[in-house]
Amino acid sequence: MSDTAKEERRIETLAKPKRVPSEFQDDRRSVYWIESNPPTPGPNGVTVIVATKRVSELAQHRVPHQYKHDRPSPIWPVRQTALEQEASERIHQLSMHKNAHPQHAYDRTAYIEVSPGAKRAASTERIEMLSRPKMRQDRFGMDETEWGQYFPVSDAAKKATASGRIESLAESKRYHAMFQNEKPVQWPVDDGAMKAIASLEIQKLARPRSRTMIKDDYDPYKVPMAARRARATPRLDELCVPLPRKSRAKKAA
């Protein structure tokens, strides 16, 4: 068999439509498309609906499971066996109240009695020193530290003389030679500015544009002839060239 015949048979095989599987279902052409005709009334004019077995089961009411009604009254008779029943040892044990801890101590009363030993006790010298009130000078002294200690200035510190370096460091920092204060909001205008006369060009630019100079047929997107005939300078051509480090030559095919 020649190659041409093989190609023709291959084309015929590919041209055959794909077989549709048996479980394939077409899409509905519309949301109102129905798979079967709705039930219609019979000869007597009544439509008979046949429910499935599952639908019939779901339509049945729910059967109560071991339901017990509420007691008619909170007072009901006690059975004789319950009256004659004797509690076990475990129930007696659980019915006993809980005892307090052996080391439990109740709250101390506000009225306490001082022991004779505390009444006859003698304070030590340290306690007597701590019980004395602070002197007013030590309490409100300006040079008092955190722990209440007073450190007066020594005579040597009072008679000390500062060195030249300390005196130079104690001097205030001066402003820069070219320092200028902020310009006030209001300042006098010099006579030259007040007597100045505007030139003709400034007067022309300050004049508002009249309505007669506005052209209705003006096209802002139209390129003038001078811009079309313009030629770029060598500097512009140089700036238009891409950077060598960012340009990459194409690979040969």
Side-chain angles (χ1 to χ4, degrees), residues 70-84:
D70 296 335
R71 290 178 175 176
S73 173
I75 303 175
W76 62 88
V78 183
R79 293 178 298 177
Q80 189 65 26
T81 55
L83 294 173
E84 298 175 356

Side-chain angles (χ1 to χ4, degrees), residues 1 40 60-61 68 71 76 80 86 106 133-135 177 179 204 223 241:
M1 185 180 294
T40 56
Q60 296 293 330
H61 61 83
K68 294 182 180 180
R71 290 178 175 176
W76 62 88
Q80 189 65 26
E86 294 183 1
Y106 292 96
K134 276 189 174 183
M135 300 297 295
F179 174 76
K204 180 180 178 181
V223 182
V241 177

Side-chain angles (χ1 to χ4, degrees), residues 149-183:
Q149 299 174 357
Y150 185 78
F151 297 98
V153 182
S154 60
D155 296 337
K158 293 179 181 179
K159 298 177 182 179
T161 304
S163 61
R165 177 59 178 168
I166 294 177
E167 291 181 356
S168 62
L169 293 175
E171 294 179 358
S172 59
K173 191 175 182 180
R174 300 178 181 178
Y175 292 106
H176 193 269
M178 301 178 63
F179 174 76
Q180 294 182 2
N181 292 324
E182 297 180 357
K183 191 175 182 179

Side-chain angles (χ1 to χ4, degrees), residues 164-228:
R165 177 59 178 168
I166 294 177
E167 291 181 356
S168 62
L169 293 175
E171 294 179 358
S172 59
K173 191 175 182 180
R174 300 178 181 178
Y175 292 106
H176 193 269
M178 301 178 63
F179 174 76
Q180 294 182 2
N181 292 324
E182 297 180 357
K183 191 175 182 179
V185 180
Q186 297 179 357
W187 63 88
V189 183
D190 53 354
D191 297 338
M194 297 183 67
K195 297 178 181 179
I197 299 175
S199 61
L200 295 177
E201 182 66 19
I202 294 177
Q203 294 179 9
K204 180 180 178 181
L205 294 175
R207 188 181 306 164
R209 192 174 183 180
S210 61
R211 298 290 298 177
T212 56
M213 298 177 64
I214 300 176
K215 298 180 180 180
D216 296 336
D217 57 346
Y218 175 72
D219 187 6
Y221 301 101
K222 185 178 180 180
V223 182
M225 296 301 298
R228 297 180 185 178

Side-chain angles (χ1 to χ4, degrees), residues 53-99:
K53 182 179 180 181
R54 179 58 179 167
V55 173
S56 301
E57 292 178 0
L58 295 175
Q60 296 293 330
H61 61 83
R62 190 173 181 180
V63 180
H65 178 66
Q66 297 181 0
Y67 176 75
K68 294 182 180 180
H69 294 279
D70 296 335
R71 290 178 175 176
S73 173
I75 303 175
W76 62 88
V78 183
R79 293 178 298 177
Q80 189 65 26
T81 55
L83 294 173
E84 298 175 356
Q85 187 68 26
E86 294 183 1
S88 62
E89 183 179 357
R90 177 59 178 168
I91 293 178
H92 282 294
Q93 182 181 358
L94 294 174
S95 63
M96 298 296 294
H97 62 82
K98 190 175 181 180
N99 297 328

